[in-house]
């Protein structure tokens, strides 16, 4: 099977994730879309690793997973505390950081 | 003997320090301390004079090196005093007349509660003036020059509670400042030209420099002299300086300080001799001022201001003589000394009259005072005869010599300058006779005075201010005031003859200033004759106008020239229109440029950045998703750019 198809899939997943980040208001959904983008990248890394016969891409994919796990912890904590104070998980409600 | 020179200055300086620092506990004796120290300085002066007389004519320069003031490589300023015939003459004049005026002030200022301070200032003036004439380099001279300016300021504004006096003091100080700028520029030019500003090297190497340089130095020195000596165009302060107490007018604004400009020119003679253009300007300034002052003196009803005009005119004579070069230096100084006697005497006489007349200064409210003040009348009268050049008295010898010297310059210039000097002599005779007749002769106009009409043009603010409406009781002044007047009158009578007979003064000063006879187109006798004719004409016109006819109590409107002269020939109006208005316009346009151009650039830049950031701020709307869009957009652009670059 041609590995290029996996790259198309990765691109598709990334696009879906990016679109979700841009158009969804719910912070949880946005968060999941970010995960989707990260995993699309992971897929691409692995595919390139396979295509070039080089293990670096697979190692970086592990790193990305570790970072993503840490990010999930911090991100969910922020979303939970945001929800506690504002009773909403909409990203548009958290728009106080402006002049 | 050299060590005495510093003591000349130290004595009055000590007096000033003691009196000004000592405070009220010295009020009772302060005036005597001041007088004593001034006299001490005079005694030192006489001792040194005797020492100089005992030496050969070419060995009469004493130097005292005190310390090195600025010891920098290539810039050496010493505190060194030079006592030669020229400075000796000044020392004797300053300390002698100064001591007499100290004595006079004891009586004149008796009822002033700030008398101690007054004597402190007088001593300060003496010290500064002595420093000026004894300095051996121009920088030290500048210290004395500024010192006398300060003392003059303090003394003109001594009655500072009168706004007119405070203003006059400021005016004198500011006008003098213009001249001081000239002196400092001259010193800088000297330093760049000669590498030093000590008298010895500068004056002996004067001819080495280019004529253009010397002319520049000469003109700057002349500017300085104009400021200090009240010469056109910096003459406007002297008339107002009469707001000071009368002894101040006598000492500083008649006998000594205002002659500092003449000293400067004569001392720098070597520079001027090598710069004929500068000399010509000096003579023109002198001739213009001598007529200017004389015309102003004719129209003033305030006795002190009339005398101030006369001072200006007489110093004009000296400056004219000093501009003539070696023909005139000696006579400039001789006239300076005799003028010191008779003008100080006249001012002290005027002070004595004011003292007896409730401080009235308007001569139209005097008249017939000779019966009431015999001593003042006689001494003032002798001073009067001396200043108009009555044969045999001081002014006759010294002024006549200047007129001769002016003719001796030769050529058309000689004729023009000589004619100006002769004309000045006639006007001098006129206005001094006028003062004499209005004050001591005629009806007693001070009796039953009508209330002064407010629009009377001769109204003196000072007299109104004091609000003396009671009829004055003229009386002779106390002995402490009359003795100095008598002493000065003796000087006015005999000094000129003493100096001239056997050319004593000429031989005394010649080693310093040099002398040449010039080539006069007229014989000495002819000049004397012409001077006498002018004298008689001047006195005659004054007698017809003020002796034969009663003097109106309110000044008549007068001709255009009279009215202009009453306003000091529009000097203040000229200064106002040209300098004050001009300065205002300049300032306004500069402010306009500053506001529009400079501020415009600065404020415009700031506003531009402000507007730009205001627009950029809109991007920060706080919506995380819009940030995400710009992030994706940016990333997409970067990727696109990378791909594009690769493709190329």
């Amino acid at each position: 099977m041609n590995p290029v198809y996996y790259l198309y899939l990765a691109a598709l997943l990334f696009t879906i994730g990016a679109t979700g980040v841009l158009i969804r208001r719910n912070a949880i959904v946005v968060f999941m879309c970010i995960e989707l983008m990260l995993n699309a990248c992971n897929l691409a890394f692995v595919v390139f690793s396979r295509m070039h016969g080089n293990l670096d891409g697979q190692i970086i994919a592990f790193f990305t997973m570790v970072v993503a796990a840490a990010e999930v912890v911090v991100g969910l904590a922020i979303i939970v505390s945001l929800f506690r104070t504002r009773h909403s998980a909409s990203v548009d409600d958290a728009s106080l950081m402006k002049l | 003997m050299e060590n005495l020179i510093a003591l000349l200055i130290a004595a009055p300086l000590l007096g000033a320090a003691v009196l000004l620092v000592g405070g009220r506990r010295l009020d009772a004796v302060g005036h005597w301390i001041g007088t004593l120290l001034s006299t001490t300085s005079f005694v030192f002066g006489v001792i040194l004079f005797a020492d100089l007389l005992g030496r050969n004519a070419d060995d009469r320069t004493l130097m005292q090196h005190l310390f090195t003031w600025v010891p920098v490589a290539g810039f050496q300023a010493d505190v060194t005093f030079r006592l030669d015939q020229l400075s000796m003459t000044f020392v004797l004049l300053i300390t002698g007349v100064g001591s007499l005026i100290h004595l006079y002030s004891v009586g004149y200022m008796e009822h002033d509660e700030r008398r101690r301070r007054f004597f402190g200032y007088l001593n300060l003036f003496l010290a500064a003036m002595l420093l000026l004439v004894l300095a051996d380099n121009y920088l030290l001279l500048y210290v004395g020059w500024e010192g006398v300016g300060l003392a003059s300021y303090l003394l003109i504004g001594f009655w500072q509670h009168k706004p007119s006096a405070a203003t006059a003091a400021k005016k004198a100080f500011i006008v003098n400042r213009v001249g001081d700028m000239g002196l400092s520029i001259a010193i800088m030019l000297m330093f760049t030209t000669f590498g030093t500003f000590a008298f010895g090297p500068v004056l002996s190497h004067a001819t080495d420099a280019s004529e253009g340089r010397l002319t520049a130095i000469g003109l700057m020195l002349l500017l300085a002299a104009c400021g200090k000596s009240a010469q056109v165009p910096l003459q406007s302060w002297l008339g107002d300086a009469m707001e000071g107490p009368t002894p101040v007018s006598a000492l500083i604004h008649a006998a000594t300080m205002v002659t500092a400009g003449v000293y400067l020119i004569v001392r720098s003679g070597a520079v001027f001799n090598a710069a004929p253009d500068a000399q010509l300007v000096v003579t023109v300034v002198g001739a213009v001022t001598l007529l200017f002052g004389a015309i102003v003196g004719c129209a003033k009803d305030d006795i002190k201001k009339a005398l101030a005009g006369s001072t200006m005119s007489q110093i004009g004579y000296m400056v004219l003589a000093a501009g003539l070069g070696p023909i005139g230096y000696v006579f400039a100084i001789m006239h300076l000394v005799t003028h010191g006697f008779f003008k100080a005497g006249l001012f002290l006489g005027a002070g004595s009259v004011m003292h007896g007349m409730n401080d009235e200064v308007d001569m139209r409210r005097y008249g017939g005072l000779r019966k009431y003040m015999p001593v003042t009348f006689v001494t003032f009268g002798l001073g009067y005869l001396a200043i108009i050049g009555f044969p045999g008295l001081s002014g006759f010898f010294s002024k006549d010599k200047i007129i001769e010297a002016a003719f001796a310059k030769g050529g058309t210039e000689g004729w023009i300058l000589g004619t100006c000097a002769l004309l000045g002599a006639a006007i001098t005779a006129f206005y001094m006779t006028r003062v004499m007749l209005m004050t001591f002769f005629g009806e007693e106009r001070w009796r039953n005075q009508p209330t002064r009409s407010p629009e009377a043009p001769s109204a003196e603010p000072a007299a109104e201010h004091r609000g003396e409406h009671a009829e004055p009781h003229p009386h002779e002044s106390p002995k402490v005031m009359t003795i100095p007047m008598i002493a000065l009158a003796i000087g006015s009578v005999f000094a000129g003859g003493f100096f001239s007979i056997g050319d004593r003064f000429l031989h005394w000063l010649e080693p310093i200033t040099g002398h040449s006879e010039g080539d006069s187109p007229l014989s000495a006798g002819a000049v004397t004759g012409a001077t006498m004719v002018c004298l008689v004409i001047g006195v005659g016109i004054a007698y017809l106008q003020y002796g034969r006819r009663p003097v109106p109590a309110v000044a008549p409107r007068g001709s255009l020239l009279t009215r202009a002269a009453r306003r000091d020939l529009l000097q203040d109006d000229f200064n106002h229109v040209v300098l004050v208005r001009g300065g205002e316009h300049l300032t306004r346009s500069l402010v306009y440029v500053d506001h529009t151009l400079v501020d415009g650039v600065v404020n415009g830049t700031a506003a531009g950045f402000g507007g730009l950031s205001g627009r950029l701020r809109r991007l920060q709307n706080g919506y995380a998703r819009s940030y995400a869009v710009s992030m994706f957009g940016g990333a997409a652009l970067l990727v696109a750019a990378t791909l594009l670059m690769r493709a190329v």
Side-chain angles (χ1 to χ4, degrees), chain B residues 358-414:
Chain B
N358 292 346
D359 288 334
E360 176 64 75
V361 290
D362 185 357
M363 290 190 291
R364 293 189 185 276
R365 305 173 102 191
Y366 291 167
L369 292 177
R370 65 183 186 282
K371 279 175 288 187
Y372 302 94
M373 305 177 176
V375 180
T376 308
F377 168 64
V378 171
T379 54
F380 196 94
L382 290 173
Y384 154 75
L385 291 177
I387 192 174
I388 63 171
F390 191 80
L393 275 71
S394 289
F396 168 75
F397 291 104
S398 53
K399 199 192 288 178
D400 200 47
K401 287 285 185 196
I402 291 182
I403 298 173
E404 268 176 45
F407 278 113
K409 183 166 170 68
T412 328
E413 293 164 24

Side-chain angles (χ1 to χ4, degrees), chain B residues 209-259:
Chain B
S210 71
E211 197 183 313
R213 267 301 170 103
L214 291 173
T215 307
I217 294 176
L219 289 179
M220 285 298 119
L221 288 174
L222 174 65
L223 180 66
C226 283
K228 203 55 98 193
S229 294
Q231 300 293 294
V232 173
L234 298 178
Q235 81 291 359
S236 64
W237 63 273
L238 189 63
D240 291 335
M242 298 301 129
E243 285 295 337
T246 308
V248 172
S249 309
L251 176 61
I252 301 184
H253 305 120
T256 56
M257 184 192 87
V258 286
T259 57

